[in-house]
Amino acid sequence: MKQRLLAWCLFVLESTAVTPAFAEQVLVAVAANFVPPFHEVAMEFEQSTGHHVQVAAGSSGSLHTQIKNGAPFDVFFSADNVRPKLLEEGGFGVKDSRFTYALGRLVLWSPNADLVKGEETLSSKNFSRLAIANPKTAPYGLAAMQAMQALRIWEKLQPRNVIIVGENLGQTMGFIESGNAQLGFVALSQVMEARFKGKGSRWEVPSNLYEPIQQDAILLTKGKDNPAAKALIKFMSGPQAKAIIERYGYHLR
């Protein structure tokens, strides 16, 4: 299960729903930070509608590139609002279908309950490796870099060569969980997963230290005639999906 969530992957959600004759399948590209809550959302969606959901997870930048190169996704849940807009402008997304499904929150987290005590942790010598997602392709990695630059820590850490970069947030969390890094910047939603919740130590990074993480979704042109894709978009604005998203620590608009 862990590998399916962390790596570039494609998985089919298990469903207990009785499949009606009109059931369709929707192929969804999901930013790595949103995989845990989306798994629950998709399960609820399948049980409510009978449609089937397939998910491909990765960094927003990599998924964006795949979509432009012809990947057959119907819906894209990005970790930013830039790439969905670019897809719409480029004709890869359905006009006026973009919407904000969550506002992300950045945390510094360690499985060591005594390590993270606040921003002063970054200035300490109590760690040899700190993991972040790739700032070029992962919005949470960019936010981590912005936060450290705002704190004037980024330049100080470069000579120590302590920062290791994950391709996406899933891999970044993998570095931390495996001990390859003692701590790292991840999404709050990741440490709200049942297997991490209440464990370790964390510092919720003040939102004024990084640009807002506005996570937008878009119906892609390949999914414009797919009833399951349209139904999923509608389901995301309903109370079931919103309750799950909030439970994972996101803010809603």
Side-chain angles (χ1 to χ4, degrees), residues 18-73:
V18 175
T19 303
F22 56 82
E24 300 284 352
Q25 180 171 286
V26 54
L27 181 55
V28 187
V30 180
N33 80 90
F34 194 59
V35 170
F38 186 75
H39 186 268
E40 291 190 30
V41 170
M43 292 287 283
E44 294 274 355
F45 171 73
E46 289 189 336
Q47 291 176 0
S48 297
T49 66
H51 294 306
H52 297 296
V53 179
Q54 282 190 306
V55 178
S59 71
S60 296
S62 297
L63 292 171
H64 171 258
T65 299
Q66 289 185 52
I67 292 166
K68 290 179 63 179
N69 288 335
F73 301 126

Side-chain angles (χ1 to χ4, degrees), residues 123-136:
S123 302
S124 73
K125 305 289 187 181
N126 297 330
F127 61 92
S128 59
R129 288 288 184 273
L130 182 151
I132 67 171
N134 187 343
K136 295 181 180 178

Side-chain angles (χ1 to χ4, degrees), residues 155-176:
E155 295 79 4
K156 295 179 181 177
L157 291 180
Q158 301 307 310
R160 290 176 55 190
N161 196 30
V162 299
I163 297 176
I164 59 174
V165 178
E167 180 62 30
N168 54 56
L169 273 180
Q171 188 179 56
T172 303
M173 179 58 95
F175 288 155
I176 305 168

Side-chain angles (χ1 to χ4, degrees), residues 152-222:
R152 301 184 185 282
I153 293 293
W154 179 258
E155 295 79 4
K156 295 179 181 177
L157 291 180
Q158 301 307 310
R160 290 176 55 190
N161 196 30
V162 299
I163 297 176
I164 59 174
V165 178
E167 180 62 30
N168 54 56
L169 273 180
Q171 188 179 56
T172 303
M173 179 58 95
F175 288 155
I176 305 168
E177 189 180 9
S178 66
N180 287 317
Q182 290 81 41
L183 72 171
F185 286 96
V186 294
L188 176 60
S189 59
Q190 291 176 290
V191 300
M192 296 296 282
E193 277 190 75
R195 61 196 176 108
F196 297 124
K197 192 172 184 178
K199 298 178 181 177
S201 53
R202 77 187 193 203
W203 172 54
E204 295 187 26
V205 183
S207 59
N208 65 325
L209 295 180
Y210 57 93
E211 294 179 5
I213 304 174
Q214 180 180 322
Q215 301 192 200
D216 281 5
I218 187 169
L219 176 65
L220 301 171
T221 53
K222 291 183 182 297

Side-chain angles (χ1 to χ4, degrees), residues 30-152:
V30 180
N33 80 90
F34 194 59
V35 170
F38 186 75
H39 186 268
E40 291 190 30
V41 170
M43 292 287 283
E44 294 274 355
F45 171 73
E46 289 189 336
Q47 291 176 0
S48 297
T49 66
H51 294 306
H52 297 296
V53 179
Q54 282 190 306
V55 178
S59 71
S60 296
S62 297
L63 292 171
H64 171 258
T65 299
Q66 289 185 52
I67 292 166
K68 290 179 63 179
N69 288 335
F73 301 126
D74 298 304
V75 183
F76 177 37
F77 287 86
S78 183
D80 65 6
N81 61 344
V82 175
R83 291 175 176 88
K85 185 173 185 293
L86 290 173
L87 290 173
E88 179 181 330
E89 293 173 348
F92 298 96
V94 176
K95 187 178 180 182
D96 298 328
S97 68
R98 284 184 290 123
F99 66 97
T100 301
Y101 64 90
L103 300 173
R105 297 162 68 183
L106 182 70
V107 296
L108 180 66
W109 183 79
S110 171
N112 182 337
D114 299 319
L115 182 55
V116 178
K117 301 181 184 303
E119 67 177 73
E120 62 269 26
T121 303
L122 295 167
S123 302
S124 73
K125 305 289 187 181
N126 297 330
F127 61 92
S128 59
R129 288 288 184 273
L130 182 151
I132 67 171
N134 187 343
K136 295 181 180 178
T137 58
Y140 281 84
L142 177 61
M145 185 178 73
Q146 291 171 340
M148 286 189 283
Q149 289 174 332
L151 294 169
R152 301 184 185 282

